[in-house]
């Protein structure tokens, strides 16, 4: 399990997290057993003003009044880029044959306990459905990308927003492919894409270009944005074509 020695995020965000923990423990009381931070904030790729804060709340149960109190507070926290947390009980995390192995593996391998105890220590996550979830995640990503392209009217602004969001959702699926192939999952995005190029034999330049867009390194103009969209979608199509029914990859 990878646990960084210090959070590589701005001090103001760390202070924000401390206030969040203080308020959330008060709101949920004995219903709350743990607060875990995961995602880019513990992966060394947090982009201030761009990245969300992802949290898992481990609960003893789903007592409605406590959740209602939290829901009211979350409206305010969402303005600080806190996404709706994963709400789980320890029973759900440890249930055999879980249908969410990818999400739980991602969190188990890279997270930080902000309060309470760590349910992932020594936990074995059943990977029975991992291959199916990876396939579904990559294919669903491409379907949703096309749907949202239509919803956004096919504009340059819509594509510029959609592509980084799509890539963010895709990266855990690529790490899932690495796990299925028996390789270590790489959380640094440049290394991950390089590893996927080696594993698949694909160029994947569209994914790399979108990563630079996400980081604010490049700002493609109105002519280049549609081309970038096409390159990225073509990369997803090519990747899907190489995935076998068991989730393994047939290199090109």
């Amino acid at each position: 399990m990878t646990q960084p020695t210090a959070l590589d995020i701005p001090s103001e965000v760390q202070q924000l997290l401390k206030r969040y923990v203080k308020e959330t423990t008060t709101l949920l009381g004995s219903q709350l057993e743990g607060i875990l931070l995961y995602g880019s904030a513990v992966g060394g790729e947090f982009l201030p003003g761009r990245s969300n804060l992802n949290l898992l709340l481990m609960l003893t149960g789903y007592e409605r009044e406590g959740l209602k109190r939290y829901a009211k507070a979350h409206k305010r926290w969402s303005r600080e880029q806190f996404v709706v947390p994963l709400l789980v009980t320890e029973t759900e995390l440890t249930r055999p044959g879980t249908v969410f192995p990818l999400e739980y593996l991602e969190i188990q391998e890279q997270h930080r306990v902000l309060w309470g105890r760590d349910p992932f220590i020594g936990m074995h996550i059943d990977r029975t459905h991992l291959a199916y979830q990876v396939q579904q995640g990559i294919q669903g990503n491409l379907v949703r990308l096309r749907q949202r392209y239509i919803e956004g009217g096919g504009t340059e602004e819509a594509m510029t927003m959609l592509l980084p969001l799509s890539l963010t959702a895709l990266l855990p699926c690529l790490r899932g492919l690495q796990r299925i192939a028996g390789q270590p999952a790489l959380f640094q995005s440049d290394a991950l894409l390089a590893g996927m190029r080696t594993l698949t034999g694909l160029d994947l330049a569209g994914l790399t270009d979108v990563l630079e867009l996400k980081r604010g390194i490049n700002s493609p103009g109105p002519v280049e944005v549609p081309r970038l969209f096409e390159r990225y979608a073509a990369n997803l199509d090519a990747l899907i074509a190489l995935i076998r029914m068991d989730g393994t990859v047939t290199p090109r």
Side-chain angles (χ1 to χ4, degrees), residues 69-166:
R69 289 193 299 271
Y70 180 84
K72 291 180 180 178
H74 182 75
K75 290 182 180 179
R76 174 165 34 85
W77 287 112
S78 65
R79 294 194 289 270
E80 302 287 353
Q81 293 183 275
F82 283 72
V83 299
V84 177
L86 290 179
L87 305 173
V88 297
T89 64
E90 188 167 12
T91 299
E92 291 169 336
L93 281 175
T94 57
R95 182 176 294 150
T98 175
V99 295
F100 303 114
L102 183 57
E103 285 89 342
Y104 293 162
L105 283 167
E106 287 276 297
I107 298 171
Q108 183 182 45
E109 292 178 14
Q110 199 162 73
H111 68 274
R112 172 60 59 86
V113 177
L114 299 182
W115 179 89
R117 63 188 186 86
D118 188 344
F120 288 100
I121 294 177
M123 180 187 294
H124 169 73
I125 296 177
D126 190 337
R127 302 190 182 202
T128 302
H129 303 291
L130 180 59
Y132 173 76
Q133 191 182 1
V134 167
Q135 285 181 296
Q136 185 184 56
I138 297 175
Q139 293 183 33
N141 190 310
L142 182 56
V143 170
R144 287 189 297 274
L145 179 67
R146 290 167 176 157
Q147 286 178 315
R148 289 168 183 166
Y149 173 85
I150 298 298
E151 291 174 349
T155 64
E156 175 193 348
E157 293 77 13
M159 286 185 280
T160 302
M161 292 178 60
L162 287 173
L163 289 171
L165 292 173
S166 175

Side-chain angles (χ1 to χ4, degrees), residues 102 106 133-134 136-138 169-178:
L102 183 57
E106 287 276 297
Q133 191 182 1
V134 167
Q136 185 184 56
I138 297 175
L170 178 69
L171 295 179
C173 296
L174 300 183
R175 286 190 287 270
L177 285 176
Q178 290 182 318

Side-chain angles (χ1 to χ4, degrees), residues 2-252:
T2 303
Q3 288 280 63
T5 56
L7 289 177
D8 186 20
I9 54 177
S11 58
E12 58 268 25
V13 179
Q14 296 190 42
Q15 292 302 313
L16 189 65
L17 286 167
K18 290 180 181 179
R19 294 199 300 272
Y20 173 87
V21 168
K22 183 177 180 179
E23 180 174 351
T24 301
T25 53
T26 300
L27 288 172
L28 294 177
S30 61
Q31 187 180 3
L32 182 65
E33 291 193 311
I35 303 176
L36 280 65
L37 178 70
Y38 66 96
S40 61
V42 296
E45 295 196 323
F46 186 82
L47 301 173
R50 294 173 180 260
S51 297
N52 290 323
L53 291 165
N54 303 98
L55 296 132
L56 179 147
L57 303 185
M58 189 174 72
L59 307 175
T60 58
Y62 301 106
E63 192 269 319
R64 187 178 64 85
E65 287 304 316
L67 295 181
K68 187 176 180 180
R69 289 193 299 271
Y70 180 84
K72 291 180 180 178
H74 182 75
K75 290 182 180 179
R76 174 165 34 85
W77 287 112
S78 65
R79 294 194 289 270
E80 302 287 353
Q81 293 183 275
F82 283 72
V83 299
V84 177
L86 290 179
L87 305 173
V88 297
T89 64
E90 188 167 12
T91 299
E92 291 169 336
L93 281 175
T94 57
R95 182 176 294 150
T98 175
V99 295
F100 303 114
L102 183 57
E103 285 89 342
Y104 293 162
L105 283 167
E106 287 276 297
I107 298 171
Q108 183 182 45
E109 292 178 14
Q110 199 162 73
H111 68 274
R112 172 60 59 86
V113 177
L114 299 182
W115 179 89
R117 63 188 186 86
D118 188 344
F120 288 100
I121 294 177
M123 180 187 294
H124 169 73
I125 296 177
D126 190 337
R127 302 190 182 202
T128 302
H129 303 291
L130 180 59
Y132 173 76
Q133 191 182 1
V134 167
Q135 285 181 296
Q136 185 184 56
I138 297 175
Q139 293 183 33
N141 190 310
L142 182 56
V143 170
R144 287 189 297 274
L145 179 67
R146 290 167 176 157
Q147 286 178 315
R148 289 168 183 166
Y149 173 85
I150 298 298
E151 291 174 349
T155 64
E156 175 193 348
E157 293 77 13
M159 286 185 280
T160 302
M161 292 178 60
L162 287 173
L163 289 171
L165 292 173
S166 175
L167 181 64
T168 298
L170 178 69
L171 295 179
C173 296
L174 300 183
R175 286 190 287 270
L177 285 176
Q178 290 182 318
R179 294 185 182 99
I180 293 166
Q183 300 178 357
L186 301 175
F187 283 83
Q188 205 285 326
S189 297
D190 293 307
L192 172 59
L193 294 184
M196 290 308 301
R197 286 192 291 271
T198 300
L199 178 62
T200 64
L202 297 173
D203 182 8
L204 302 180
L207 274 62
T208 301
D209 291 342
V210 171
L211 178 60
E212 293 186 350
L213 172 64
K214 177 182 176 180
R215 291 171 171 170
I217 296 174
N218 64 13
S219 301
V223 174
E224 182 58 25
V225 168
R227 294 174 181 169
L228 175 57
F229 185 95
E230 291 173 0
R231 288 199 304 275
Y232 179 82
N235 279 178
L236 288 190
D237 262 328
L239 187 58
I240 291 168
L242 299 184
I243 302 176
R244 299 191 188 107
M245 291 299 291
D246 62 358
T248 57
V249 173
T250 305
R252 196 172 73 173

